Amino acid sequence: MLNKVAELLKEVESFAAKNIEELEQFRIKMLAKKGAITALMSEFRNVSNEDKKAFGQQINNLKQTTQQKIIALKEQLDQTINSSNKKMDLTRSAEQVQLGARHPISVVRNEILDIFSRIGFMVSEGPEIEDDWHNFSALNFPPEHPARDMQDTFFIEKEVALRTHTSSVQVRVMENQTPPIRTVSPGRVFRNEAISARAHCIFHQVEGLYIDKDVSFADLKQTLMYFAKEMFGEKTEIRLRPSYFPFTEPSAEVDVSCNICSGKGCNVCKHTGFLEIMGCGMVDPNVLENCGIDSSVYTGFAFGMGIERIAMLKYQVNDLRHFFENDLRFLKQFTSAY
Ligand code: PHE
């Protein structure tokens, strides 16, 4: 009996399998219900009492060795299968690389900056957390002006707030540079407004400033007309309506002819043929003086627009919230050189 165990052990040790099928057959031959090792175990009761212990140990050893051998062989075979699968197929076509795209707000901001840089405007940026001086006081906001109210402005401390416009950057530029100054200031701004299809508490602006000797309202008009035609097309017309801002005098709202109906009148322009795109005006002499610029020598103009608004008009987006939701189906539609 012990001989038989030894014979089987030898067979197990010398066994090699070429493939999974051979290994499976070997497992059945040894370990299945009718296999050789199972058969040996049923001989156990025929073994004399004094041999039982030795036989028991031997047969257990045989069983374990067989099981381990099968596991080891299986691992080996699996590995060779995997590595043969890794062979490269050099004729396969390459996988497509998915390129990302800029966010439409970045695209439009870059386009606006590009249009103004072509006529000599530099780009200036400043902090999103501003003090009262740069956001309000230097810009000629009277102390009791409603825009300072908690309803429009996110205050952090009494004199510190999230900027409500990027005019604050222009104050910093005027304080630190001597005219001539030509600058555009892009950036995020914050206002305590309910979120809707037309408004958001966070949005983006580009504001412009030009200060030099003899800058006139006619220069402002020409600059805005140049911008409108570059942005919305050669046939675009502009219209200025009198308005009020604390930091400009005179002030105006700028409309462009509706790029959907070309001024004929449609739902988007509410049948007026025009769409409002920004505020503008001649820099108030008080603002120049506040920033250390001699208002008897220099004059200037300023303008400011919301990037979301320009993007909505240019791409006919009807809900401002799309720009903040990052839905890929929306974003994928914007690919651009900008
Ligand atoms: N700062 C104004 C705003 O945020 C826009 C503006 C800028 C108006 C410059 C006139 C001149 O609404």
Side-chain angles (χ1 to χ4, degrees), residues 164-165 167 191 205 207-208 245 247-248 279-281 302-304:
T164 58
H165 50 187
S167 303
R191 290 184 199 177
Q205 277 190 330
E207 297 218 358
F245 298 102
F247 34 89
T248 46
C280 70
F303 56 86

Side-chain angles (χ1 to χ4, degrees), residues 123-327:
V123 176
S124 50
E125 289 182 299
E128 292 179 347
I129 297 175
E130 262 302 1
D131 51 42
D132 180 89
W133 172 255
H134 291 96
N135 198 78
F136 295 126
S137 296
L139 289 162
N140 205 31
F141 279 80
E144 72 284 3
H145 195 281
R148 293 171 184 242
D149 198 288
M150 292 298 280
Q151 282 173 14
D152 292 312
T153 308
F154 290 114
F155 283 95
I156 293 168
E157 288 164 20
K158 194 165 173 289
E159 300 273 298
V160 183
L162 297 179
R163 67 179 176 199
T164 58
H165 50 187
T166 56
S167 303
S168 56
V169 181
Q170 305 184 334
V171 173
R172 290 175 181 276
V173 173
M174 285 188 277
E175 284 173 339
N176 293 308
Q177 291 177 25
T178 44
I181 292 171
R182 262 177 304 199
T183 186
V184 271
S185 315
R188 268 201 304 192
V189 300
F190 308 85
R191 290 184 199 177
N192 194 359
E193 284 186 40
I195 296 168
S196 71
R198 297 173 61 89
H200 206 289
C201 55
I202 301 174
F203 60 101
H204 301 79
Q205 277 190 330
V206 175
E207 297 218 358
L209 175 74
Y210 177 30
I211 298 172
D212 204 348
K213 290 175 184 154
D214 301 325
V215 176
S216 71
F217 203 91
D219 297 320
L220 170 60
K221 257 168 86 174
Q222 281 303 317
T223 306
L224 297 177
M225 200 147 85
Y226 157 78
F227 168 74
K229 286 181 188 292
E230 292 292 305
M231 194 74 203
F232 296 106
E234 188 49 41
K235 293 205 179 95
T236 311
E237 290 173 6
I238 61 166
R239 182 172 80 174
L240 299 178
R241 283 178 290 111
S243 184
Y244 172 78
F245 298 102
F247 34 89
T248 46
E249 181 60 36
S251 306
E253 300 281 355
V254 185
D255 299 342
V256 289
S257 51
C258 179
N259 62 331
I260 294 165
C261 64
S262 315
K264 287 188 203 82
C266 68
N267 279 343
V268 176
C269 62
K270 301 208 183 76
H271 302 282
T272 61
F274 281 92
L275 297 157
E276 184 191 319
I277 57 161
M278 64 173 122
C280 70
M282 300 306 291
V283 180
D284 193 301
N286 287 346
V287 175
L288 295 177
E289 294 296 334
N290 285 343
C291 301
I293 293 172
D294 187 344
S295 64
S296 65
V297 180
Y298 294 104
T299 50
F301 66 69
F303 56 86
M305 66 191 100
I307 301 178
E308 281 80 358
R309 175 126 185 99
I310 303 285
M312 282 171 85
L313 297 179
K314 191 165 166 85
Y315 296 112
Q316 288 154 33
V317 177
N318 58 8
D319 193 322
L320 189 132
R321 288 169 288 200
H322 286 309
F323 294 119
F324 297 90
E325 278 163 4
N326 286 333
D327 185 332

